[in-house]
Amino acid sequence: MKFQKKNTIQFALLCLTVLVFFSSCSENGATTNTEKNVSIVKSLEIIHPQMDRPVYTLSLPGELKPYEEVTIYPKIKGFVKDIYVDRGTYVKKGQLLAILEAPEVSQKYYSEKSAEQKFKEEYNYSRQSFDRLKQASKRSGAVAEMELERALSKVKSDSAAYRAAVANTSVSGQLNKYLRITAPFDGIVTERNISKGALVGENMSIPLFSVAQNNKLRLLVAIPEKHAASVNDFTKASFSVAGLPGKDFQTTIARTSSVLRQSSRSMIVEFDVVNYPDLNGGEYAQVKLKLQRPDSTYWVPASSVVNTQAGVFAVRSNDGIIERVPVIIGGRIKDKIEIFGDLKKTDNILKLGSEELTEGSRVTITK
């Protein structure tokens, strides 16, 4: 009996222990479920967007090109008689580069010149005859009126024939001039694709020469659409090239296309660069532009902007409730960034934005 009573007491204690354990687990589970239904309260610092119009820096790639560059083709068919320049030769405007030979062109010019002289003599004779008849007609009955009119008609006819002959001679003379290939401007010969004796013509696919103006260069930069409005007549830039590391060159804007290219949504601007001995046309450059908006825009700390795969946004607190405001990023100055979106100066923007702050969650704001 005593042994049986002892077992009964132990069994009762065991049951009591099990009940206490399950009661404890049940309470812990209830607490967990309750915590899941309660918003996590955080204390966060806010700022207000600042309206400003600062000068900011934008770094973009650019390309240096000769200020003027041209490929020279022959106007008429002929043989290359003489060549006076080669690749790398510096030339002046109008300087003779090569002479072509086309005997039929020269012969035609001389023929037209002879015809011009013939018509000139006929015109001078008819004009002198008319002048004599007109002088004689002053005496009554000396010259019939019809004779005078016939002489005037002959003058007009010979005059027209002479002018036509002069025009034909001018055309032949111009064709003859095309046999002389000259430089269109001061520059350097960058290509020479002919040799003496070669036959060239107006349908030639390869140019005779290429000439580039290298004492002055054009720096071309494509400005993205969102920065295009910041370009003005006083925009300045500095640039460097890979061939001269550590050396910067300064320039000021010269012209702009004022139209966005549809393919890249960018606007081409040009800077004129007085060439230094070390620069070459055709180089790529890294350009730093000093830009300024025409009107004030919103600026916030860079930490306020969250960049995710879903998009770029700033986190706004509306009476402690989180809102994500989609924004577009503009310029950047040190730790501040320019943003565009549905914003007001009085908005409470979290100084430290985070992707973890979901839409509609509640936070405590620290002023």
Side-chain angles (χ1 to χ4, degrees):
M1 289 294 293
K2 191 178 290 186
F3 177 78
Q4 188 175 8
K5 183 177 180 181
K6 183 177 180 182
N7 287 341
T8 302
I9 293 172
Q10 290 177 346
F11 179 77
L13 290 173
L14 179 61
C15 290
L16 180 60
T17 303
V18 170
L19 287 173
V20 171
F21 174 78
F22 280 109
S23 176
S24 174
C25 289
S26 177
E27 289 175 0
N28 289 337
T31 302
T32 301
N33 290 335
T34 303
E35 289 177 351
K36 287 183 179 179
N37 294 328
V38 176
S39 297
I40 299 173
V41 178
K42 295 184 178 180
S43 179
L44 300 170
E45 184 179 355
I46 63 166
I47 54 92
H48 298 299
Q50 299 295 315
M51 293 291 289
D52 201 357
R53 188 172 166 261
V55 175
Y56 64 96
T57 301
L58 182 65
S59 183
L60 294 170
E63 184 179 4
L64 284 167
K65 288 187 174 183
Y67 194 77
E68 298 289 354
E69 187 172 17
V70 68
T71 52
I72 302 174
Y73 291 87
K75 176 68 175 178
I76 58 177
K77 185 179 291 187
F79 293 95
V80 179
K81 182 179 180 181
D82 290 302
I83 302 174
Y84 301 103
V85 296
D86 208 332
R87 188 191 303 269
T89 303
Y90 286 89
V91 295
K92 295 291 185 179
K93 181 178 180 179
Q95 181 176 331
L96 190 61
L97 307 181
I99 292 181
L100 306 183
E101 191 174 34
E104 65 277 13
V105 174
S106 300
Q107 292 302 320
K108 185 178 180 181
Y109 170 74
Y110 294 135
S111 175
E112 297 289 352
K113 191 69 176 175
S114 297
E116 177 189 335
Q117 186 64 30
K118 172 180 174 291
F119 285 113
K120 181 179 180 181
E121 293 294 337
E122 291 180 355
Y123 167 63
N124 288 336
Y125 177 77
S126 60
R127 188 180 62 182
Q128 290 172 4
S129 297
F130 171 74
D131 290 341
R132 286 194 295 268
L133 285 174
K134 188 175 181 181
Q135 187 67 26
S137 67
K138 293 180 180 180
R139 297 192 302 271
S140 178
V143 179
E145 185 70 24
M146 184 173 290
E147 290 296 326
L148 188 62
E149 291 178 358
R150 184 182 292 112
L152 178 60
S153 177
K154 176 66 172 171
V155 170
K156 291 180 179 179
S157 175
D158 289 346
S159 175
Y162 173 59
R163 288 198 301 269
V166 170
N168 289 335
T169 304
S170 178
V171 171
S172 297
Q174 188 61 50
L175 289 176
N176 203 43
K177 288 181 180 179
Y178 288 145
L179 296 174
R180 296 171 59 85
I181 310 300
T182 58
F185 47 75
D186 294 355
I188 185 172
V189 177
T190 58
E191 288 186 29
R192 169 199 156 179
N193 301 310
I194 55 171
S195 298
K196 283 186 178 182
L199 176 64
V200 297
E202 63 273 15
N203 296 322
M204 188 175 180
S205 59
I206 301 176
L208 304 179
F209 302 98
S210 291
V211 180
Q213 184 179 358
N214 69 330
N215 61 343
K216 192 176 181 181
L217 303 175
R218 297 176 188 262
L219 175 62
L220 277 65
V221 185
I223 307 294
E225 181 179 6
K226 63 182 178 180
H227 296 287
S230 299
V231 177
N232 56 54
D233 295 340
F234 306 101
T235 298
K236 294 183 178 181
S238 62
F239 67 93
S240 60
V241 294
L244 298 169
K247 190 171 183 178
D248 289 334
F249 302 91
Q250 308 296 322
T251 183
T252 304
I253 193 169
R255 62 196 65 85
T256 174
S257 65
S258 299
V259 176
L260 294 174
R261 293 192 299 182
Q262 297 299 314
S263 58
S264 61
R265 305 305 305 170
S266 61
M267 182 178 70
I268 299 297
V269 298
E270 289 187 10
F271 299 84
D272 289 347
V273 179
V274 177
N275 192 9
Y276 299 87
D278 300 328
L279 292 175
N280 300 304
E283 290 179 301
Y284 286 105
Q286 191 61 36
V287 186
K288 291 183 178 179
L289 297 153
K290 297 292 185 181
L291 302 177
Q292 187 177 33
R293 297 286 182 189
D295 301 304
S296 296
T297 54
Y298 288 117
W299 291 77
V300 296
S303 59
S304 297
V305 179
V306 183
N307 196 336
T308 67
Q309 292 183 348
V312 182
F313 60 88
V315 182
R316 178 169 59 196
S317 171
N318 188 3
D319 293 331
I321 304 300
I322 290 298
E323 294 179 351
R324 290 185 174 184
V325 183
V327 297
I328 298 174
I329 296 175
R332 184 187 292 266
I333 300 177
K334 295 182 180 179
D335 60 343
K336 289 189 176 182
I337 194 168
E338 181 185 29
I339 58 174
F340 302 89
D342 184 18
L343 298 167
K344 300 186 296 293
K345 290 191 294 184
T346 56
D347 283 344
N348 294 323
I349 302 297
L350 270 60
K351 185 175 181 180
L352 183 60
S354 173
E355 190 176 1
E356 297 177 357
L357 297 170
T358 59
E359 189 86 14
S361 59
R362 181 177 292 278
V363 295
T364 300
I365 299 303
T366 301
K367 298 291 185 177

